[in-house]
Amino acid sequence: MTTDRWFIIFGAAIATFIPRVIPMLFFKNKEIPPSLTKWLSFIPVTIFSALVFSDLVFWENNLNFHPLVNLKIVPSLIVFFIAYKTKNIFISMIIGIVAIALMLLAF
């Protein structure tokens, strides 16, 4: 590998390491307030929701809610319903994979 690639790898390692270490060093001997803990608990759900929603509503780089054009809408609604009823992520994933495959085959 060239030297430039090593600098890029080293820089990326530092860029991902620093944001993880600084909070640990800052809160090492401090009590985290309950309000901050509660606020931080919503971050994973928010990020996941944003990723899923943006993937669902964009079809071929256009915002699209029409179920016959955006083929991800109907399988997603099926998966949301199955997940709500069964509370089983494995069954939801299998149903989702089958549903999207059938939609892509049908259209």
Side-chain angles (χ1 to χ4, degrees):
M1 275 196 210
T2 65
T3 307
D4 292 342
R5 288 187 185 179
W6 284 111
F7 281 124
I8 291 171
I9 292 170
F10 184 68
I14 290 174
T16 58
F17 182 74
I18 289 176
R20 294 166 195 243
V21 170
I22 290 177
M24 286 192 306
L25 294 175
F26 182 73
F27 289 112
K28 185 176 175 181
N29 296 323
K30 294 181 182 176
E31 183 73 27
I32 299 174
S35 59
L36 179 61
T37 304
K38 185 173 181 167
W39 182 80
L40 289 173
S41 72
F42 294 115
I43 291 176
V45 174
T46 306
I47 291 171
F48 181 72
S49 300
L51 290 171
V52 168
F53 185 74
S54 67
D55 186 53
L56 287 180
V57 298
F58 283 97
W59 185 260
E60 296 176 350
N61 294 329
N62 294 319
L63 183 64
N64 196 325
F65 292 100
H66 195 280
L68 295 177
V69 176
N70 186 346
L71 300 180
K72 296 181 277 187
I73 298 289
V74 173
S76 299
L77 294 175
I78 293 169
V79 169
F80 289 144
F81 177 75
I82 296 295
Y84 178 74
K85 285 296 189 184
T86 65
K87 308 274 192 281
N88 187 328
I89 193 164
F90 181 72
I91 293 172
S92 302
M93 285 174 31
I94 297 299
I95 297 289
I97 292 168
V98 170
I100 194 79
L102 291 175
M103 281 294 281
L104 291 173
L105 284 173
F107 295 97

